Amino acid sequence: MNRYIDQLMSRMTLEEKLGQLNLPVTGNIVTGAARESDVAEDIRQGRVGGLFNLKGAGAIREVQRIAVEESRLGIPLLFGMDVIHGYETVFPIPLALSCSWDMEAIERSAQIAAAEATADGICWTFSPMVDVCHDGRWGRISEGSGEDPYLGSRIAEAMVHGYQGADLSDAATMMACVKHFALYGAVEAGREYNNVYPDSYHMFNEYMQPYKAAIDAGAGSVMAAFNTVQGIPATGNRWLLTDLLREQWGFNGFVVSDYCGLEQLCDHGVCASKQEAAIQCLEAGLDMDMVSAGLLSLAEAVRNGQCKKKYVDQACRRMLEAKYKLGLFDDPYRYCDTTRRSQVMRCPEYRAEARRIAAESMVLLKNDNQLLPLRKQGTIALIGPLANTRPNMSGTWAVAAVPEHYKTLREGLQDALEGSNAKLLYAKGSNLMYDAQAEAIATMFGREMRDNRSDAAMRDEAMRIARQADVIIAAMGESSEMSGECSSRVDIEMPDAQHDLLVELTKLGKPIVLVHFAGRPTVLNWETEHVPAILEAWFGGSETADAVADILFGDVNPSGHLTVQLPRHVGQYPFSYRQMRTSRLNPQGDFAKFTTCYADISSKPLYPFGYGLSYTTFEYSPMTLSSDQLPMANGQSVTASVTVTNTGDRRGTEVVQLYIGDRVAKGVRPYKELRGFERVTLESGESKEVTFTIDADLLGYYAPITDVCANAVPQWTLEPGEVEIHIGPNASETDMRLLTVQ
Ligand code: NOJ
């Protein structure tokens, strides 16, 4: 590779090298301002390194042909896309996917996404998004794996392995891009594109681990975040992109900016011109410039010495290396095989996997008197604005989705009931919300579902239908565009029109199941108090409808567990189960003067991190530790075990969780932090011992830097002392033993 690239670079002009750093957007999908340019002519002139959001092996082949046959050096282009949770076979939104706690399933979802996307010409995806988030107001919490850095790290690895496989040049794998580096999930007040403030201690202990895990797993590229890190925009932050990423972590791929992230250095007020921004970003370690076309115009600055040529060479080399690793120099049309599409796209095997994984991601929050699963008999009323909408099922960031091929929930339930004598009735019952303008914002990009009937007429129809039913299924919550990019919200309760409808339905006194759709943690106080069964369905992708039916009728036993705790009030944010030890803790969470609490609400979550019910029940034996002492010397470990028994009457899967709580350390540690988990499937009556091996590495943390003047990075450390070892079915209900680290 090095020889090949040396030779190629020796033939390149400065302008051609800068051209490799340029990533314009094409196609109809833009997530910022679109720009007019003659892309084909730019490609001929060697002014383009890659394109994104162009779809179709045929179309991509044609554009690649221009690069290969009509540009002077014939360097192939990279073709990228936001393949976030599947391609045409759409998987659950990442937040939902994380609730499966199933690393094999997550890896498989990425593998299938790669198989489909590469059959459509794409060789580079802007995923995984690994931003840890503690704030449900942020719309993009839907795109990440929740609030926990340990679980987020395991998922980041699984995604990278799934996309890239064992061989990046395989025509069915694509390059991953870890984003948004770094800390984007910490945006202040949950407001999109806002600033972030974690100090180095919290940065490393709460946010950085998943990025590092993805890089250690071999991710080929990294996307710089829009936000600042320690006061400097990430895109132009040399400490972040070079000192930490490359020198400390050993990353050897390339860094791309986010959409116009380079020129936004001017908006941040750290540069006076785009050229100044381009120089700062290049020298900081940015290799490819998405949409700004700022690096492209640096030739003059290099010639007159304002910008060092070595940085251009370095970035160009990294771009060529990526193309080499993808096998594009061997065969520029490697991902343009137009015959593959018909074999893989939405093939029955992939859709079956997506259906299974969607069901695994849904979380049963409540199930009084075993209302669920429902029997396929009698009259079932399906009511709510999300019951019969096709485009809302796939979720927020499914760029390649083809909703006409997916079922509505109504169709999924109807199909599931075929052959039974149950009758399914349907009424929409309400709009998404009363305010039409607010609904328009919540249903952009083809998700419109507004009904022109009056609110009263819709409700009357729903009540008439509901009165005829033995059981009501209420399909309510958020539309898919209520989360995702630029969808921050301060009201995360059930939208008004749907809440009022649900209140009326509960007055009928019939059993009600709420199938709740959401792309974020929401506040479900009223629902928890008044509705006997609640299934958090999130957005399950193309197979949502069948997956919900599988759970409601008991063909699948729910096993999803929350990866964000659900709050009681939006005012609790930022909010995480990883509460740091603090003075004046009030463990009960209620008001007590001069303790850490709220005067008007419990400070506890409504549903804790890790929580999820099943149609069966699991019992945990007390935990045993193989020893209550752990020597710190290398290689020593102890085991923590519990026996889990399925005490119910059907097969089920439990997620057994291991938490630690370091009682005394130099840096303040959380009371509980996840450090292990295992999914166990048990037949009715079956028991299994689950054992976690605990060594010094597992108990460590990034110790604080005591000399603030030292230009140092926190290091993974373990200090002697007492550590609580917790095992349980969620973060709130654990059994604890003390371990002394010596
Ligand atoms: C902006 C988003 O922040 C990023 O996640 C995405 O990959 C790019 N737009 C490209 O669409």
Side-chain angles (χ1 to χ4, degrees):
M1 178 173 83
N2 291 344
R3 258 204 322 275
Y4 183 91
I5 291 174
D6 285 345
Q7 238 174 31
L8 180 56
M9 283 184 64
S10 71
R11 293 160 56 216
M12 292 174 82
T13 64
L14 175 61
E15 280 78 4
E16 282 166 335
K17 289 177 182 169
L18 291 168
Q20 287 303 308
L21 318 187
N22 187 30
L23 178 69
V25 63
T26 50
N28 302 326
I29 309 145
V30 290
T31 58
R35 280 161 205 278
E36 290 297 318
S37 78
D38 184 347
V39 177
E41 189 48 30
D42 282 346
I43 295 171
R44 277 184 206 105
Q45 297 304 320
R47 291 162 55 83
V48 177
L51 290 175
F52 72 103
N53 287 354
L54 184 63
K55 190 177 177 224
I60 288 179
R61 174 177 278 271
E62 177 47 28
V63 178
Q64 189 70 296
R65 195 198 56 74
I66 300 175
V68 172
E69 293 182 16
E70 298 181 21
S71 74
R72 191 179 75 90
L73 293 170
I75 300 174
L77 302 172
L78 271 185
F79 290 91
M81 191 186 258
D82 287 287
V83 183
I84 307 295
H85 50 110
Y87 195 70
E88 289 195 12
T89 300
V90 185
F91 289 90
I93 57 167
L95 178 61
L97 196 58
S98 68
C99 292
S100 72
W101 297 63
D102 184 343
M103 299 307 115
E104 273 169 38
I106 291 172
E107 180 169 339
R108 180 75 180 132
S109 76
Q111 197 180 49
I112 292 173
E116 288 193 347
T118 52
D120 232 9
I122 316 295
C123 58
W124 177 36
T125 177
F126 304 144
S127 172
M129 188 276 218
V130 302
D131 305 328
V132 168
C133 181
H134 299 167
D135 199 328
R137 292 172 295 184
W138 193 43
R140 302 195 79 169
I141 196 169
S142 58
E143 286 179 59
S145 296
E147 61 170 280
D148 188 73
Y150 176 85
L151 180 62
S153 299
R154 304 292 77 77
I155 292 174
E157 291 158 2
M159 297 289 285
V160 171
H161 291 145
Y163 288 135
Q164 298 195 163
D167 176 6
L168 208 45
S169 70
D170 183 323
T173 63
M174 60 184 172
M175 184 175 278
C177 183
V178 187
K179 68 187 190 185
H180 306 83
F181 193 58
L183 317 180
Y184 192 17
V187 281
E188 189 186 26
R191 204 172 71 239
E192 187 64 300
Y193 312 129
N194 206 355
N195 296 314
V196 308
Y197 299 106
D199 55 32
S200 76
Y201 180 67
H202 294 96
M203 185 190 294
F204 280 89
N205 282 296
E206 286 163 54
Y207 296 96
M208 284 298 192
Q209 296 166 48
Y211 305 107
K212 181 169 188 304
I215 283 150
D216 289 345
S221 65
V222 166
M223 185 184 291
F226 283 134
N227 51 269
T228 58
V229 172
Q230 316 246 55
I232 300 174
T235 318
N237 189 321
R238 189 171 166 87
W239 172 79
L240 186 71
L241 301 187
T242 298
D243 299 357
L244 177 66
L245 182 64
R246 296 190 183 277
E247 285 163 18
Q248 292 272 334
W249 291 358
F251 174 65
N252 64 7
F254 72 92
V255 179
V256 64
S257 71
D258 200 345
Y259 207 107
C260 292
L262 181 150
E263 64 187 12
Q264 287 170 15
L265 264 69
C266 300
D267 304 330
H268 281 293
V270 298
C271 290
S273 67
K274 185 155 104 178
Q275 160 139 334
E276 212 183 288
I279 296 171
Q280 178 171 333
C281 292
L282 184 73
E283 298 195 351
L286 183 75
D287 304 305
M288 191 176 225
D289 168 11
M290 187 190 287
V291 185
S292 293
L295 299 182
L296 187 63
S297 335
L298 278 181
E300 202 40 50
V302 173
R303 288 208 177 89
N304 67 27
Q306 271 176 289
C307 173
K308 294 195 187 77
K309 183 171 167 295
K310 70 169 188 190
Y311 292 112
V312 178
D313 285 336
Q314 174 183 283
C316 175
R317 176 174 293 276
R318 291 177 188 146
M319 294 316 306
L320 297 174
E321 283 174 358
K323 294 179 181 186
Y324 190 97
K325 290 177 193 159
L326 283 163
L328 289 169
F329 287 114
D330 271 351
D331 177 6
Y333 306 107
R334 186 174 292 263
Y335 305 92
C336 302
D337 174 353
T338 46
T339 61
R340 263 187 61 215
R341 184 183 165 87
S342 63
Q343 295 153 23
V344 300
M345 211 63 81
R346 287 180 283 106
C347 68
E349 182 199 337
Y350 292 175
R351 295 194 68 172
E353 292 272 52
R355 177 175 178 166
R356 174 179 69 82
I357 294 170
E360 272 191 13
S361 73
M362 296 175 186
V363 183
L364 183 63
L365 295 177
K366 198 181 164 201
N367 192 21
D368 282 357
N369 304 320
Q370 296 183 303
L371 172 56
L372 289 173
L374 300 176
R375 278 192 290 264
K376 293 181 181 173
Q377 62 183 40
T379 302
I380 301 170
L382 173 64
I383 292 174
L386 288 151
N388 201 27
T389 160
R390 206 176 300 286
N392 278 282
M393 293 297 99
S394 18
T396 173
W397 215 185
V399 170
V402 276
E404 59 273 23
H405 292 294
Y406 315 145
K407 292 182 193 174
T408 65
L409 181 58
R410 184 184 182 187
E411 289 164 342
L413 298 187
Q414 193 60 65
D415 287 351
L417 293 173
E418 212 182 288
S420 74
N421 55 13
K423 196 156 121 197
L424 184 72
L425 305 176
Y426 159 74
K428 184 168 176 181
S430 79
N431 274 314
L432 194 64
M433 44 190 76
Y434 289 128
D435 182 347
Q437 224 176 337
E439 178 162 331
I441 294 172
T443 55
M444 292 168 102
F445 308 124
R447 272 102 160 167
E448 298 78 9
M449 52 163 113
R450 192 81 185 163
D451 200 307
N452 289 326
R453 287 177 292 167
S454 73
D455 295 324
M458 291 170 78
R459 194 175 307 167
D460 288 349
E461 181 197 42
M463 297 308 286
R464 187 167 44 74
I465 297 280
R467 277 192 206 97
Q468 299 168 44
D470 301 306
V471 58
I472 299 166
I473 299 174
M476 298 183 177
E478 293 194 322
S479 59
S480 58
E481 269 313 294
M482 284 172 77
S483 60
E485 187 170 346
C486 202
S487 300
S488 296
R489 311 186 76 85
V490 293
D491 183 353
I492 55 170
E493 303 204 11
M494 182 72 88
D496 49 12
Q498 299 183 70
H499 169 76
D500 292 351
L501 173 63
L502 196 55
V503 170
E504 290 307 310
L505 290 171
T506 53
K507 286 185 189 159
L508 294 176
K510 303 200 179 208
I512 303 191
V513 179
L514 172 61
V515 176
H516 187 249
F517 292 91
R520 54 152 56 79
T522 53
V523 172
L524 292 170
N525 295 328
W526 189 92
E527 295 74 7
T528 297
E529 215 174 299
H530 295 93
V531 180
I534 305 176
L535 177 69
E536 184 57 82
W538 309 113
F539 289 100
S542 51
E543 315 310 311
T544 297
D546 287 332
V548 170
D550 288 341
I551 290 186
L552 294 186
F553 297 115
D555 298 311
V556 171
N557 190 351
S559 60
H561 286 249
L562 294 174
T563 56
V564 278
Q565 56 183 5
L566 302 192
R568 294 166 191 269
H569 193 281
V570 71
Q572 288 174 292
Y573 284 123
F575 188 40
S576 164
Y577 89 88
R578 292 175 87 263
Q579 165 73 51
M580 292 285 176
R581 281 171 193 271
T582 179
S583 60
R584 305 191 180 199
L585 177 79
N586 170 4
Q588 279 68 45
D590 298 327
F591 176 75
K593 198 69 180 167
F594 306 123
T595 68
T596 169
C597 62
Y598 292 108
D600 53 354
I601 193 176
S602 160
S603 52
K604 293 276 181 199
L606 185 63
Y607 292 101
F609 178 86
Y611 173 89
L613 299 177
S614 161
Y615 293 154
T616 188
T617 43
F618 299 100
E619 219 172 75
Y620 284 61
S621 71
M623 182 205 317
T624 52
L625 276 183
S626 60
S627 163
D628 56 9
Q629 315 277 323
L630 175 65
M632 288 206 340
N634 264 349
Q636 302 283 320
S637 64
V638 299
T639 58
S641 310
V642 287
T643 298
V644 183
T645 305
N646 179 345
T647 49
D649 59 2
R650 63 169 72 208
R651 182 174 201 258
T653 300
E654 172 66 324
V655 179
V656 183
Q657 299 157 37
L658 170 78
Y659 297 87
I660 64 162
D662 192 343
R663 283 192 168 171
V664 184
K666 280 204 191 71
V668 178
R669 308 274 313 258
Y671 291 98
K672 281 184 194 172
E673 46 184 322
L674 185 77
R675 286 298 162 89
F677 57 90
E678 191 176 322
R679 289 180 98 247
V680 275
T681 300
L682 299 171
E683 301 298 332
S684 164
E686 190 184 347
S687 295
K688 191 180 166 196
E689 189 178 59
V690 176
T691 298
F692 296 99
T693 302
I694 297 170
D695 59 14
D697 191 51
L698 182 137
L699 297 174
Y701 79 120
Y702 286 96
I705 294 167
T706 40
D707 176 2
V708 286
C709 297
N711 186 17
V713 165
Q715 297 299 318
W716 192 253
T717 312
L718 177 64
E719 297 156 11
E722 282 182 343
V723 182
E724 296 173 4
I725 306 295
H726 297 261
I727 298 184
N730 62 61
S732 293
E733 295 174 77
T734 55
D735 185 27
M736 192 272 280
R737 295 283 174 277
L738 264 191
L739 177 68
T740 305
V741 177
Q742 295 165 323

